[in-house]
Amino acid sequence: MKSIKSKIQISMLAVVLIGSILIGVITAFLNAHGIDDMMTKTVGPATQMAADAVEWRMDHYWTALQEAAASDIFQTSSPTAQELVPIRDDIAQRNGFLYVGKIDATGFSSTGYSYADEDYFQQCKATMKPYISDIMNDGQRMIFLLEVPIIINDRFEGVVYGGISADFLSDIVVNLAMGSDGVAYVLDKRGNVIGHRESSIVEEGSNMIEAAKTDSSLADIAEVNQQMIQRETGFGAYNFYGDNKFVGFAPIDGNQEWSIAIEVSQQEFKSTLKRSISLTILVVFLVIISTFPVALIVGRSISGPIQTCVNRLEKLADGDLHTPTPVVTSHDETAKLAKALDTTVFRLNDVTQDVSHHLEQMGRGDFHEEITRTYWGDFAAMEASIKAIHNSMKETLQQIRHSAETVAAGAVQVANGAQTLSQGAAEQSSAIHALSATSSNIEENAKQTASAAEEAGQFVAQAGAQLGISVDYVKELNTAMERISNSSAEIRKIIDTIENIAFQTNILALNAAVEASRVGAAGKGFAVVADEVRNLASRSDEAAKATKQLIESSITAVAEGGQVVNMVTESLDKTNSIAENVTVKMNLVVTAVENQTAAISQITEGIEQISAVIQSTSATSEQSAATSQKLSNQSILMNESVRKFRLN
């Protein structure tokens, strides 16, 4: 890629080369066109100025004659009156007339001659307006005769005339000639040349309109002259004897119907065109040679500052807002570029610093400071955006703070509730576990009870059967008791007999002892036996008494036992009847226990399902408690985090 310096140099050389060539061509064209345009713009005003000059000069003549015609002396005096002579001479001398005179209404003149038949007198009389004659020779020179009518009470009373030399037109047109080959001329209303730098043409009465009738080469000139006598203003071109002419023409206003033209030779004015082209080629060559060092200097002067600005812009693109911008000492656009770059960097730095400051404040959680800086141009959108972000984040954080406080309070309540729920669920789970275990035990016990009840029913049946046997045995016992009672009566009789025997033996022993004591020593042995018999009788008596007491007690016990046996028998009968009812009821109990066992099994299954649900609920509640605790902790942290932001 070419550098801007080489581009500038090549571009300048190419532009200069192409431009110089174009300038040469355009200059030649413009010179040619400019010459035409110059002639157009020069000849036209010059022609109009010449027409105005002739008109002014003629107005001077007309004014003098009109003043004379309005004076009393010209109106009342005869043409040859002596008092008019000095006045006529004075007017002529002061206004440049060759002579001034009066012609009365009959045509008699101050010269003593009658001009009643002259065309100019007849025209002035007929129109009662100022009139100028055609150019004519008064015997000495070419003149124009100007007549102004004397009007008294709207009647024609004659004319005041003045003769002027036709040379004044030639003097005017000589000074209007442009170039050595250019001429100016004046035509009258018939196309006759009445003013020209060559007096012979005037004297001969040259008329190109009439000449073109016999010479077709003069048709272009005749056409221009025809436009002139029609009092048109414009430009024309024609070839006159091999030379291209450019002519401008304009009418001369006033009482005379004349037209003036300025003719210019195109060949004469364009003779400098070749020299101009040659000079242009030389200038182009010199410009190309001189442009090369200038291109080098200009390329360096432009590319150098631009390159430094580019380097700074590259740093700016990399985010460098602190490196100073290059200093350009020139006063051209590169200096403006450097200045604009410096302004851009400054404003970008200013905006960036302000944005960074507010973003840093927001990053630290400080939303207390308001954004008051006004940014320029399209940075206003950034200003609006950061203000919107600041306000939106501030409002959002305020809402978050309010929500965080509400969430924190609610989260604490939820956490507490979740903990309570989790604890309650755990307790319910434990209770359900215990209830399930108890239910299982109850079910097991119920099963065992059912089994035991069934066995008890069997045992009751067996007990009932055995109770019947026991009743029979009790009856037999009652019979045996009666027998014992009878035997006890017999034993009581025997004991009574033994007591009597013991009593009799004791008496006998006592008697023997008495007797032995009486016997003395011989009776010691017998006394000993008597003592022993007495002792034996005493013990027998004591034993008999004891036995009697025992027998009586036995009899009493037997009697009581009999009564008891009777009562037992009655009770056993009742018990037997009750046992039969118990057997029936036990059968009902067994059936009920079996039904209860089935119901308890269903309850156990329901409790197990409830236990599973409660276990799941407990796990969920524990998770919810943990989550709510985390939520509570996080809401507290969020609340603490939000409280770090400084808000209004």
Side-chain angles (χ1 to χ4, degrees):
M1 182 179 180
K2 295 182 180 179
S3 64
I4 191 170
K5 179 173 70 175
S6 60
K7 287 182 179 180
I8 290 174
Q9 293 170 352
I10 294 173
S11 299
M12 285 186 66
L13 292 174
V15 168
V16 169
L17 178 61
I18 297 172
S20 299
I21 294 173
L22 290 175
I23 288 172
V25 174
I26 293 172
T27 300
F29 174 77
L30 291 178
N31 284 337
H33 183 72
I35 290 172
D36 294 339
D37 189 58
M38 181 193 67
M39 288 189 295
T40 301
K41 293 181 179 180
T42 302
V43 172
T47 304
Q48 189 62 51
M49 289 175 63
D52 293 339
V54 173
E55 180 184 355
W56 177 82
R57 183 73 174 272
M58 293 302 295
D59 286 344
H60 177 71
Y61 292 137
W62 289 116
T63 301
L65 294 178
Q66 287 172 347
E67 290 177 352
S71 63
D72 292 338
I73 192 169
F74 271 92
Q75 291 180 356
T76 58
S77 300
S78 64
T80 58
Q82 290 298 317
E83 64 269 17
L84 281 180
V85 175
I87 295 174
R88 289 189 292 112
D89 293 341
D90 181 64
I91 293 172
Q93 185 179 0
R94 286 189 295 105
N95 295 285
F97 288 100
L98 296 175
Y99 44 81
V100 174
K102 177 182 178 181
I103 300 175
D104 61 15
T106 61
F108 182 75
S109 172
S110 296
T111 61
Y113 297 98
S114 176
Y115 298 98
D117 296 331
E118 294 295 333
D119 180 65
Y120 52 82
F121 178 75
Q122 294 296 329
Q123 288 291 334
C124 185
K125 182 179 180 180
T127 60
M128 297 180 68
K129 293 181 179 179
Y131 184 79
I132 185 171
S133 66
D134 295 333
I135 191 170
M136 58 185 179
N137 194 324
D138 63 352
Q140 297 180 357
R141 63 187 74 82
M142 302 298 293
I143 65 166
F144 293 102
L145 192 65
L146 283 69
E147 298 92 10
V148 174
I150 299 172
I151 306 299
I152 301 175
N153 296 326
D154 296 330
R155 295 195 315 271
F156 179 77
E157 297 295 337
V159 298
V160 176
Y161 65 88
I164 59 174
S165 174
D167 292 340
F168 87 94
L169 290 177
S170 298
D171 294 338
I172 291 174
V173 297
V174 166
N175 295 326
L176 294 175
M178 302 178 67
S180 58
D181 295 334
V183 295
Y185 56 90
V186 179
L187 298 182
D188 62 9
K189 62 182 179 180
R190 294 182 178 84
N192 297 321
V193 178
I194 58 175
H196 199 277
R197 68 181 179 180
E198 296 181 9
S199 58
S200 60
I201 294 177
V202 176
E203 292 174 355
E204 292 173 0
S206 176
N207 191 318
M208 292 298 176
I209 296 174
E210 296 297 329
K213 294 178 180 180
T214 57
D215 187 356
S216 60
S217 62
L218 302 176
D220 293 339
I221 302 175
E223 183 179 356
V224 171
N225 289 348
Q226 188 67 38
Q227 293 176 359
M228 291 175 65
I229 65 176
Q230 292 176 359
R231 302 185 62 77
E232 295 180 4
T233 300
F235 302 93
Y238 49 78
N239 185 280
F240 187 68
Y241 296 112
D243 187 7
N244 292 323
K245 303 291 184 178
F246 185 83
V247 61
F249 50 88
I252 300 173
D253 296 328
N255 295 318
Q256 58 283 336
E257 297 179 0
W258 296 345
S259 183
I260 188 169
I262 297 178
E263 182 184 279
V264 180
S265 174
Q266 296 186 27
Q267 184 177 359
E268 179 182 2
F269 275 87
K270 292 183 179 180
S271 62
T272 59
L273 184 60
K274 293 181 180 180
R275 293 194 300 272
S276 176
I277 293 173
S278 299
L279 182 61
T280 301
I281 293 173
L282 177 62
V283 170
V284 168
F285 180 72
L286 294 176
V287 167
I288 292 173
I289 293 175
S290 61
T291 299
F292 185 75
V294 173
L296 291 177
I297 296 172
V298 171
R300 290 174 183 174
S301 65
I302 295 176
S303 65
I306 291 177
Q307 185 60 43
T308 57
C309 291
V310 168
N311 295 334
R312 183 63 187 90
L313 285 171
E314 289 177 349
K315 293 181 180 179
L316 179 62
D318 294 333
D320 184 0
L321 295 174
H322 302 287
T323 301
T325 54
V327 179
V328 179
T329 57
S330 62
H331 299 285
D332 54 9
E333 285 77 4
T334 56
K336 294 180 180 179
L337 175 62
K339 185 176 180 182
L341 177 60
D342 182 66
T343 303
T344 300
V345 172
F346 173 77
R347 291 187 175 181
L348 281 174
N349 189 25
D350 188 27
V351 172
T352 304
Q353 290 294 331
D354 187 66
V355 171
S356 299
H357 170 72
H358 290 293
L359 290 178
E360 182 180 2
Q361 293 294 103
M362 287 189 283
R364 289 188 308 204
D366 186 0
F367 288 84
H368 187 266
E369 182 178 353
E370 296 293 336
I371 300 174
T372 58
R373 180 71 61 84
T374 300
Y375 297 165
W376 304 273
D378 292 337
F379 287 116
M382 184 184 295
E383 174 193 357
S385 297
I386 193 171
K387 286 183 178 179
I389 291 172
H390 183 274
N391 294 331
S392 178
M393 289 188 67
K394 183 168 69 175
E395 292 176 359
T396 302
L397 287 171
Q398 287 175 343
Q399 293 176 357
I400 290 174
R401 171 185 286 181
H402 178 70
S403 300
E405 292 174 352
T406 304
V407 169
V412 171
Q413 294 178 356
V414 170
N416 294 332
Q419 290 294 338
T420 304
L421 177 63
S422 176
Q423 184 177 359
E427 293 176 355
Q428 287 179 354
S429 178
S430 299
I432 287 296
H433 277 297
L435 182 60
S436 178
T438 304
S439 175
S440 298
N441 293 331
I442 291 172
E443 181 183 10
E444 186 66 26
N445 293 330
K447 290 180 180 179
Q448 293 177 359
T449 302
S451 177
E454 185 177 359
E455 292 178 357
Q458 295 175 358
F459 290 152
V460 166
Q462 294 176 0
Q466 190 64 37
L467 186 60
I469 295 171
S470 297
V471 169
D472 293 336
Y473 287 158
V474 168
K475 288 179 179 180
E476 292 178 358
L477 178 61
N478 193 13
T479 303
M481 288 296 292
E482 289 178 356
R483 291 175 182 174
I484 292 169
S485 179
N486 294 326
S487 298
S488 295
E490 293 296 328
I491 291 170
R492 177 181 296 176
K493 292 177 179 180
I494 292 170
I495 290 171
D496 289 336
T497 302
I498 292 171
E499 284 180 352
N500 291 322
I501 291 171
F503 181 73
Q504 293 296 325
T505 300
N506 190 23
I507 292 174
L508 289 177
L510 183 57
N511 291 324
V514 171
E515 291 297 327
S517 63
R518 286 175 181 174
V519 170
K524 287 183 181 181
F526 187 70
V528 172
V529 173
D531 287 334
E532 288 297 333
V533 171
R534 193 181 59 234
N535 289 336
L536 180 61
S538 295
R539 286 197 299 266
S540 295
D541 185 49
E542 291 176 359
K545 288 180 179 180
T547 301
K548 184 179 180 180
Q549 290 178 355
L550 289 173
I551 291 299
E552 288 178 353
S553 296
S554 295
I555 291 171
T556 302
V558 169
E560 292 177 356
Q563 294 177 355
V564 170
V565 167
N566 291 327
M567 294 174 64
V568 168
T569 301
E570 292 177 0
S571 178
L572 285 175
D573 290 335
K574 293 179 180 180
T575 301
N576 187 20
S577 177
I578 292 170
E580 291 177 355
N581 293 329
V582 168
T583 301
V584 175
K585 297 299 181 181
M586 282 301 295
N587 291 329
L588 296 175
V589 167
V590 169
T591 303
V593 167
E594 289 177 352
N595 294 331
Q596 289 177 357
T597 302
I600 289 171
S601 297
Q602 293 179 356
I603 291 171
T604 302
E605 291 178 359
I607 289 173
E608 289 177 353
Q609 293 178 356
I610 293 172
S611 177
V613 173
I614 289 178
Q615 287 178 355
S616 176
T617 303
S618 178
T620 304
S621 64
E622 290 177 357
Q623 294 177 356
S624 298
T627 303
S628 62
Q629 185 63 39
K630 291 181 181 179
L631 176 61
S632 177
N633 295 334
Q634 292 299 320
S635 64
I636 293 171
L637 290 176
M638 182 177 69
N639 196 11
E640 292 176 354
S641 299
V642 171
R643 288 184 180 277
K644 294 179 181 178
F645 293 98
R646 294 182 60 197
L647 305 173
N648 291 336

